[in-house]
Amino acid sequence: MTTGVSARAARRMRFRSRSAAVIVALLAVTLGAVYLGTEAALVLLSQPPLVSAPFGLLDAADADPLVSGGAAAVLALIGVVCLVCAVTPGRFRRRFIADERATIVVDDDVLASSISRSVAIEAKVARSQVRTSLGRRRAEVRVTPTTGFDVSDEPVRQVGEQLLARGGVTPPVKTRAVIERSGVIA
Amino acid sequence: MTSSNRVMNRMLLALVGLLFAAASVLVAWPLVTGTARPFTLPAADDTAATAVLLGGAVVVVALSVTWIVTRGRGRRSLAIETTGLRLDTTAVESVVRDELQNHPDIVAARVQAYRSRDGRTLLLSVQARTHADLLALTDGVRAAIARADATLGVALPIVVHITTGLRTAMASSRSTH
């Protein structure tokens, strides 16, 4: 499909960067460190603390279960969010189009919209009567026929699959056609 | 598209997550277990330990701020930058837009340059019209790249992102078969 620089760039286009999440997490760490540093400096300067001396904070929290429980819950929440962001893939809903010159990445909504167009032409219905949803390996095309005009599911399925195959979309997508029982008056 | 180290990003996130989770366990320990914590912290007036804590806090703040302010520097305004030639991305964008401006499936196109490990990579973002013809659209994009290659005399690494956006939402859907 692609080589070298483009292949690496394509991989990076598939997964969401965690830079923003890292910046937010580090801002939280910075705020905590600034607070602890301030309390520590006040102790060293023999000044009264803002809340408590840094090594007395846990004892101060223990005095009120509501405070310690609330603080623990907030810390746990931040921790879990960071860990989830760290381990989940964060995959964008995009696919590749095979090309020798460039790396081409297409959003799923563009592909779905394009399938709907081709199917509408094949089924001779308005585009608003076709709905396409794309999963990771499957596409489902729902056609609401015009009352009095039958629509077969096999041609619809083939049109969707052929469009993606001719476009060189990877990974390959299997198409399923669903023809609604009730039609509309167009 | 930037060259930031994504593995490092995730490792940092995991580290911060574990740090906060550990702090949560530390705070909640007596409340949950009903027993004292299995260790003792230095006394509140222990100046040596407080000085170490202050030093640690300063290091953490310095490292965090350094990390934060050095992000997002991958984008470049120049598509080509050699000793004899400096070409702005807007020049490449003009060529691409000129090729794509009358394409029935495309409502907007933008070119940006990013620093990559092997030099410079261009990102061509194309906003497609609703119900675009996929094959015609990709053919148009290929033609635009070919024209840019011919005009520039060099085939720069390029990533094309076919997407939707505000212009897509505001434009009518493709009206011709």
Side-chain angles (χ1 to χ4, degrees):
Chain A
M1 175 181 57
T2 51
T3 55
V5 177
S6 295
R8 189 159 49 242
R11 269 202 309 278
R12 296 174 75 86
M13 290 289 288
R14 282 200 76 186
F15 297 97
R16 202 177 296 274
S17 165
R18 295 297 190 213
S19 292
V22 170
I23 287 172
V24 172
L26 287 180
L27 279 175
V29 170
T30 304
L31 284 176
V34 165
Y35 171 70
L36 284 177
T38 306
E39 293 284 25
L42 291 172
V43 168
L44 294 175
L45 294 170
S46 304
Q47 296 296 311
L50 299 174
V51 177
S52 159
F55 291 118
L57 275 173
L58 285 178
D59 293 334
D62 290 345
D64 188 347
L66 207 63
V67 171
S68 61
V74 170
L75 290 168
L77 184 69
I78 296 172
V80 167
V81 169
C82 286
L83 287 170
V84 167
C85 285
V87 299
T88 50
R91 193 178 282 113
F92 283 113
R93 294 174 66 81
R94 294 172 180 165
R95 275 154 232 268
F96 295 113
I97 284 186
D99 189 80
E100 288 181 2
R101 165 65 184 93
T103 301
I104 304 179
V105 186
V106 191
D107 286 357
D108 276 5
D109 57 346
V110 175
L111 286 176
S113 169
S114 189
I115 293 171
S116 292
R117 171 184 178 278
S118 299
V119 167
I121 293 168
E122 168 65 28
K124 296 183 177 62
V125 296
R127 285 164 199 171
S128 58
Q129 290 169 243
V130 184
R131 289 274 178 275
T132 305
S133 55
L134 267 172
R136 279 188 70 186
R137 300 274 174 185
R138 280 182 186 281
E140 185 179 275
V141 184
R142 283 187 174 271
V143 181
T144 307
T146 303
T147 303
F149 296 89
D150 281 344
V151 176
S152 306
D153 58 353
E154 186 55 22
V156 166
R157 190 190 65 75
Q158 281 182 4
V159 164
E161 222 149 78
Q162 281 170 6
L163 175 74
L164 298 178
R166 283 171 60 203
V169 174
T170 54
V173 180
K174 283 200 168 187
T175 307
R176 176 171 169 256
V178 178
I179 312 298
E180 301 286 1
R181 288 187 169 198
S182 55
V184 292
I185 298 169
Chain B
M1 275 298 297
T2 58
S3 56
S4 60
N5 189 331
R6 293 195 167 181
V7 175
M8 185 65 90
N9 274 345
R10 286 176 182 271
M11 283 169 63
L12 261 176
L13 267 178
L15 187 72
V16 172
L18 289 173
L19 187 81
F20 274 97
S24 169
V25 171
L26 200 68
V27 173
W29 187 278
L31 202 65
V32 175
T33 64
T35 60
R37 294 183 184 85
F39 57 86
T40 51
L41 288 173
D45 56 354
D46 184 336
T47 51
T50 306
V52 171
L53 180 71
L54 177 58
V58 169
V59 170
V60 167
V61 170
L63 289 176
S64 297
V65 170
T66 305
W67 180 275
I68 290 168
V69 299
T70 53
R71 296 308 95 189
R73 292 186 172 180
R75 195 182 293 181
R76 291 286 180 269
S77 61
L78 298 172
I80 301 174
E81 190 174 16
T82 61
T83 46
L85 176 64
R86 290 161 65 86
L87 184 74
D88 201 277
T89 49
T90 49
V92 185
E93 192 172 81
S94 298
V95 174
V96 170
R97 279 187 176 168
D98 188 48
E99 183 69 30
L100 296 176
Q101 64 180 346
N102 292 322
H103 199 289
D105 295 300
I106 294 170
V107 291
R110 186 181 60 171
V111 176
Q112 291 170 309
Y114 288 87
R115 185 184 62 192
S116 60
R117 278 185 209 170
D118 304 300
R120 205 77 31 121
T121 298
L122 298 182
L123 171 64
L124 165 58
S125 302
V126 174
Q127 284 189 36
R129 197 179 286 277
T130 311
H131 295 134
D133 179 340
L134 180 68
L135 303 178
L137 196 157
T138 49
D139 283 348
V141 166
R142 287 184 180 111
I145 294 171
R147 185 162 161 205
D149 288 350
T151 307
L152 301 176
V154 58
L156 294 168
I158 187 162
V159 176
V160 180
H161 181 203
I162 301 173
T163 184
T164 53
L166 190 62
R167 298 283 293 274
T168 305
M170 293 177 72
S172 57
S173 66
R174 197 190 204 275
S175 56
T176 54
H177 288 183

